[in-house]
Amino acid sequence: MKLTTPRRAAAAAVIALAGLLASATPAATAAPGAPGSVPAGIPVSALAAPDIPLANVKAHLTQFQSIATANGGSRAHGRPGYLASVNYVKGKLDAAGFVTTVQQFTTGGATGYNLIADWPGGDPGQVLMAGAHLDSVSAGAGISDNASGSAAVLETALAVSRAQLQTTKHLRFAWWGAEELGLVGSRYYVNSLPSAERAKVSAYLNFDMIGSPNPGYFVYDDNVALENVFKTYFATLGVPTEIETEGDGRSDHASFKNVGITVGGLFAGAGRLKSAAQAAKWGGSAGVAFDRCYHRACDNTANINDTALNRNSDAIAHAIWTVGGATARSGLGTGR
């Protein structure tokens, strides 16, 4: 998450469900209020999302830490550790059958990179995107902020490949550069899209800091349909959620929201202090920051809460399968 930015004004009225979710092929809908039920009007995917292996997500975190350690201690924009991070993610996606594109931009006198990965299939006129920023601040390796989101999005993409998933929407995953300098990479991507291509993006889901060591469970409220997809999932786990406010306008979803694209996402907290009420319902320590190592050198692989990382990774997969309209899989994928 970037350091500071003015809080953006609230989005216009909630976008109608038609055009966001209605194209997904509905299956039988659970009875209202039943475990696993979803709000009225939101389709239930024909397939349940798989469990995202925590060990796999943490293996990616270890790789990002190793990259930072080998490259001066960080993965910041303009540093060799950032490009090495891009190459690591790209190599995994290429091997898994994604069509990858590296988009270059320049800021602060250095070349930056966005990595975009498209999964073949789905309606190209309705694109569901999920993304996370891949850069760290210069002070450290950025494992909570934001290798956590980057790793979970990567492992969800690899799960799509392992299942050889077919969806009604076209799936696109993204890893953004120079977020910490002011959402530079994601804004460059959005502004580079022709208006006709922009109109094809039905929703963008953002995952920035999802494994904070003293975690909360925060859900973006920019769109009620997407909000309810996540809230319903966490309800099945018996985990209460709150509306995300700390990162409003401070992460890459703002680049999409500012041009009228529907956004949603998850967040586990950054520098704000956890209240006593929040500690009572989520555990952890009251009066302590959700992430005491936020933007500091101690943001390393020890700075992660496994339970939050695991739950949020599974929630990402649930959203991709549900909102993307998963319809079939062969189980013959090559993703690792």
Side-chain angles (χ1 to χ4, degrees):
M1 181 183 296
K2 81 182 187 75
L3 287 166
T4 58
T5 194
R7 183 180 174 92
R8 307 274 183 199
V14 172
I15 296 174
L17 292 180
L20 172 62
L21 295 170
S23 65
T25 303
T29 303
S37 65
V38 297
I42 297 180
V44 179
S45 169
L47 295 170
D51 177 76
I52 299 300
L54 176 62
N56 291 9
V57 179
K58 293 195 71 175
H60 299 314
L61 298 186
T62 298
Q63 289 298 316
F64 289 132
Q65 178 69 63
S66 296
I67 287 169
T69 301
N71 289 280
S74 86
R75 301 180 303 103
H77 166 77
R79 305 286 182 88
Y82 180 73
L83 184 55
S85 298
V86 171
N87 290 336
Y88 170 75
V89 177
K90 185 177 186 298
K92 293 288 186 181
L93 296 165
D94 288 343
F98 283 83
V99 177
T100 60
T101 303
V102 176
Q103 183 184 52
Q104 295 188 22
F105 57 90
T106 301
T107 191
T111 301
Y113 306 92
N114 293 325
L115 175 61
I116 312 298
D118 286 89
W119 180 244
D123 181 357
Q126 297 190 67
V127 179
L128 173 62
M129 291 192 68
H133 78 85
L134 188 55
D135 62 317
S136 72
V137 293
S138 58
I143 300 304
S144 172
D145 184 17
N146 181 40
S148 62
S150 293
V153 172
L154 172 58
E155 192 57 32
T156 299
L158 297 180
V160 166
S161 173
R162 286 191 291 267
Q164 289 293 283
L165 192 67
Q166 299 174 30
T167 54
T168 55
K169 285 184 170 60
H170 178 74
L171 301 182
R172 180 174 298 157
F173 299 88
W175 290 263
W176 308 115
E179 188 268 1
E180 298 289 6
L181 300 183
L183 319 184
V184 178
S186 58
R187 186 170 62 247
Y188 182 84
Y189 172 81
V190 170
N191 290 344
S192 298
L193 285 177
S195 58
E197 292 303 310
R198 224 185 250 179
K200 295 175 182 178
V201 181
S202 60
Y204 170 72
L205 306 178
N206 193 60
F207 304 102
D208 189 352
M209 300 185 67
I210 62 167
S212 303
N214 188 31
Y217 292 88
F218 298 100
V219 177
Y220 294 12
D221 68 341
D222 300 276
N223 178 270
V224 69
L226 294 177
E227 177 188 348
N228 283 337
V229 167
F230 290 116
K231 287 172 67 175
T232 300
Y233 178 78
F234 281 105
T236 67
L237 303 180
V239 176
T241 59
E242 290 186 8
I243 298 306
E244 197 284 310
T245 60
E246 183 179 7
D248 192 17
R250 293 174 57 192
S251 193
D252 294 297
H253 63 288
S255 299
F256 290 81
K257 178 178 174 179
N258 290 343
V259 298
I261 294 172
T262 303
V263 300
L266 299 173
F267 179 58
R272 283 188 183 172
L273 303 184
K274 178 179 279 189
S275 71
Q278 290 169 330
K281 67 182 176 183
W282 290 326
S285 301
V288 175
F290 293 100
D291 185 352
R292 289 179 290 184
C293 289
Y294 177 57
H295 286 175
R296 297 173 59 195
C298 57
D299 186 8
N300 53 38
T301 50
N303 191 48
I304 288 289
N305 181 281
D306 285 358
T307 300
L309 184 65
N310 190 33
R311 288 170 171 170
N312 283 316
S313 297
D314 289 340
I316 294 171
H318 170 76
I320 295 299
W321 261 247
T322 300
V323 182
T327 58
R329 60 186 173 199
S330 72
L332 300 178
T334 59
R336 295 290 183 268

